[in-house]
Amino acid sequence: MAHERTLILCKADAVARGLVGEIIARFERRGFTISGLKMLKVPAELAKRHYAEHEGKGFFNGLVEYITGAPIVALVVEGEDAVEGCRSTIGATNPIKAAPGSIRGDFGQTIGRNLVHGSDSPGSGEREVALWFTPAELYPRDHDQKEWLVSA
Ligand code: IDP
Ligand code: MG
């Protein structure tokens, strides 16, 4: 187990549908800690840097529009194996294939409106946290509480 940070985005459809509270609650209930949280209208430059790995793909322009067209909520979530844990809570990229009980499996219908982003590796987590949040915007918890949240 490793203590990790992951970037979570409640995308435009999650905000528009009033699902932000429901989504955040699922990470909190699993024992993860929120150490950064903000609502913003995403600049195109930030969206393109965030999704740089998908540049050139057919869905890229639509993806940038999806993420920049309306306000989103961005979070930093921390905890033991937070990257994998949050990805499993989010579910598969295509909501139709996502397991019931996951966010996308419970609330999503189409891959182009899949509600949430979560970093896909610890390296991506660190890169994305630095891209989206300044150190002054982060409030890391005292992780002494960790021993009460997980056991080795
Ligand atoms: P992930 O969000 O599960 O990590 P990625 O493959 O990294 O999935 O794709 C990033 C985002 O791009 C997806 O969450 C989804 O919003 C969008 N996307 C991926 N594939 C497609 C597609 O085939 N059509 C439309 N949008 C897509
Ligand atoms: Mg991805």
Side-chain angles (χ1 to χ4, degrees):
M1 280 194 147
H3 186 87
E4 294 170 353
R5 299 192 298 176
T6 183
L7 178 83
I8 301 296
L9 303 177
C10 301
K11 299 179 183 178
D13 50 338
V15 176
R17 291 173 59 189
L19 291 172
V20 172
E22 167 75 41
I23 289 167
I24 293 175
R26 289 174 176 228
F27 299 114
E28 288 189 306
R29 286 200 305 241
R30 245 187 125 169
F32 295 119
T33 299
I34 296 168
S35 56
L37 177 66
K38 61 183 172 186
M39 187 171 193
L40 72 159
K41 190 103 182 287
V42 182
E45 198 228 1
L46 173 58
K48 286 178 185 165
R49 283 176 72 190
H50 174 74
Y51 279 127
E53 67 176 297
H54 297 300
E55 205 161 350
K57 294 182 185 167
F59 62 82
F60 183 73
N61 289 344
L63 176 58
V64 170
E65 280 171 28
Y66 172 34
I67 221 78
T68 59
I72 69 155
V73 172
L75 304 94
V76 177
V77 171
E78 295 192 30
E80 296 302 305
D81 295 337
V83 168
E84 187 181 355
C86 290
R87 291 276 290 188
S88 72
T89 287
I90 291 167
T93 304
N94 184 345
I96 292 302
K97 297 191 171 133
S102 66
I103 294 166
R104 288 168 173 165
D106 284 353
F107 301 109
Q109 284 188 309
T110 62
I111 195 165
R113 293 289 182 268
N114 63 1
L115 298 156
V116 197
H117 166 83
S119 308
D120 64 7
S121 69
S124 298
E126 289 306 308
R127 181 185 77 83
E128 293 174 1
V129 168
L131 190 59
W132 287 80
F133 285 83
T134 66
E137 291 176 313
L138 296 173
Y139 301 88
R141 289 266 187 90
D142 172 18
H143 291 293
D144 282 346
Q145 65 170 333
K146 174 172 96 177
E147 66 181 292
W148 306 109
L149 299 176
V150 294
S151 71

